[in-house]
Amino acid sequence: VTVWREGDQLIWRSSGRNAPKGAVEIYPESETNFFVKLGAALTFIKNDKGEAMALTFHADWWPDIKAKKLKN
């Protein structure tokens, strides 16, 4: 999973056999909870400084996937 910002919009791209093709826009529900129009949700996990350090991908058709932030 790769998540990045383009202006004010967060974008998500995943790879794999069942992954959607191309980039997908992420929409906010709260400061840490987001959704994609494919019917899935993302929850960002922040550290004590308020920095996003990981995320959990939730979808009814797939077990939750947890991903840690990689260092640049």
Side-chain angles (χ1 to χ4, degrees):
V1 172
T2 303
V3 176
W4 69 94
R5 180 186 302 266
E6 287 185 7
D8 290 337
Q9 183 68 55
L10 285 179
I11 307 292
W12 164 59
R13 179 177 292 158
S14 58
S15 60
R17 184 171 8 120
N18 296 323
K21 303 292 185 232
V24 178
E25 293 180 339
I26 301 172
Y27 300 95
E29 289 184 324
S30 72
E31 186 176 324
T32 56
N33 295 319
F34 292 76
F35 70 95
V36 295
K37 290 186 178 180
L38 303 172
L42 299 168
T43 301
F44 288 89
I45 296 99
K46 294 183 174 188
N47 64 14
D48 293 341
K49 297 178 185 176
E51 302 166 325
M53 300 306 294
L55 67 79
T56 302
F57 172 80
H58 313 276
D60 290 340
W61 66 89
W62 202 261
D64 283 0
I65 299 170
K66 295 182 180 184
K68 293 181 181 179
K69 181 179 180 178
L70 298 177
K71 295 182 180 184
N72 294 339

